[in-house]
Amino acid sequence: MPQGFRPGADPLTKRSSRVVAVRKLARRKVRDERRQFLAEGPQAVAEALRRSGTVVELFASAPAAERYDELIDLAVADGVSVHEVTDDGLAALTETVTPQGLVAVCRYLDVDVPSSPRLVAVLDGISDPGNAGTILRAADATGADATVFPDATVDPYNGKCVRSSVGSLFHLPVVRGGDTATIVERLRADGLRVLAADAHGDTDLDDLIDAGSLVSPTAWLFGSEAHGLPEHVAALADARVKVPIYGHAESLNLATAATVCLYASARQHRRGAPQ
């Protein structure tokens, strides 16, 4: 029996009361009531466990516990309750076609907007959790200080968003809730320039890069893949910025365009304005 499992305890099944209770976290209302969410797979679980006190419970199949014994040991050392589950119990807790054997119940991570940030991604009206999670991952990779999920945007604790972030949800501050206009005013008061990513914008990203205009602290506004930013939100920005298309592609998808914009800012923050 892998370390961490209670001796003599039968594996939990999909009908076990603990599994039935935890699977309800797939619903946002329940997540908000309990301020807990699910993270599945070894990568997400590993990143969650690196933040001591984040993981409340860990469910593992016997083969996964053998394979990822270091994670089980880390969970036990952090005082996490570890449960063995059967295949059907694991399937009840996961959303993927081929579960990877580990599911963690985690505490909510959201915080207020950090003070004096230099790079922030604000996601307005984005309903696709895959896109939102990928932007969160890009924000983490570029060293952003926070990613903001206002009220009109998909929940960062949605299962697909958590998976798409590939652990980045546990790395950088996530701000959840609030009105976009209020958030923008807060960021502007902190000295950030506000730029809206807009495929039809009148400012070219290359021109900003060439002029060294991205060296200052910046908040990027990103809208939905299908509709972009609402007019009243785009109007909050200091400029509407388009990513240039050099080839014949009609456009870039949202997550790709957001990654390009965030890296452009991060590069100038790292190097400073051109001489």
Side-chain angles (χ1 to χ4, degrees):
M1 175 178 293
Q3 182 178 345
F5 290 165
R6 288 184 293 119
D10 292 329
L12 303 181
T13 71
K14 67 178 181 180
R15 293 185 177 85
S16 299
S17 59
R18 195 70 214 121
V19 172
V20 171
V22 169
R23 71 184 297 180
K24 293 178 181 179
L25 291 173
R27 303 202 302 266
R28 181 169 184 168
K29 179 181 179 181
V30 177
R31 291 197 297 270
D32 286 348
E33 289 172 351
R34 300 181 188 175
R35 287 194 60 78
Q36 294 177 343
F37 68 101
L38 297 177
E40 62 175 277
Q43 179 65 32
V45 170
E47 300 307 323
L49 286 170
R50 289 190 178 100
R51 290 184 56 151
S52 181
T54 296
V55 178
V56 179
E57 291 180 273
L58 180 61
F59 297 82
S61 65
E66 293 283 2
R67 182 175 183 180
Y68 304 109
D69 60 320
E70 291 183 1
L71 295 182
I72 301 298
D73 291 345
L74 186 60
V76 172
D78 201 34
V80 176
S81 297
V82 180
H83 309 284
E84 181 183 0
V85 288
T86 60
D87 288 344
D88 71 338
L90 184 68
L93 296 174
T94 60
E95 298 177 342
T96 52
V97 176
T98 309
Q100 294 179 280
L102 295 175
V103 179
V105 178
C106 303
R107 293 185 174 89
Y108 270 17
L109 306 165
D110 45 281
V111 296
D112 195 7
V113 178
S115 60
S116 304
R118 287 189 56 77
L119 182 58
V120 175
V122 181
L123 283 54
D124 181 89
I126 296 175
S127 59
D128 182 343
N131 266 333
T134 303
I135 296 173
L136 178 56
R137 184 181 182 186
D140 179 24
T142 56
D145 297 294
T147 301
V148 183
F149 289 72
D151 288 331
T153 292
V154 67
D155 182 18
Y157 303 121
N158 172 286
K160 186 175 181 180
C161 186
V162 175
R163 293 192 301 277
S164 297
S165 80
V166 196
S168 287
L169 175 65
F170 301 100
H171 294 166
L172 79 167
V174 172
V175 181
R176 180 176 183 260
D179 174 69
T180 300
T182 302
I183 292 165
V184 167
E185 285 308 309
R186 159 74 187 276
L187 293 171
R188 184 173 278 119
D190 248 352
L192 277 72
R193 186 182 187 193
V194 180
L195 300 177
D198 184 345
H200 306 291
D202 53 10
T203 301
D204 190 287
L205 181 63
D206 277 355
D207 292 339
L208 293 180
I209 294 171
D210 291 343
S213 300
L214 297 176
V215 74
S216 60
T218 301
W220 280 98
L221 300 177
F222 302 112
S224 75
E225 177 105 22
H227 307 293
L229 287 165
E231 178 58 32
H232 72 280
V233 174
L236 300 171
D238 298 306
R240 303 185 189 197
V241 183
K242 62 183 177 182
V243 176
I245 302 291
Y246 303 120
H248 301 291
E250 179 185 4
S251 63
L252 295 173
N253 74 9
L254 170 61
T256 301
T259 301
V260 171
C261 293
L262 290 169
Y263 262 103
S265 286
R267 185 178 180 86
Q268 287 208 344
H269 288 175
R270 178 171 176 265
R271 293 190 170 187
Q275 302 298 313

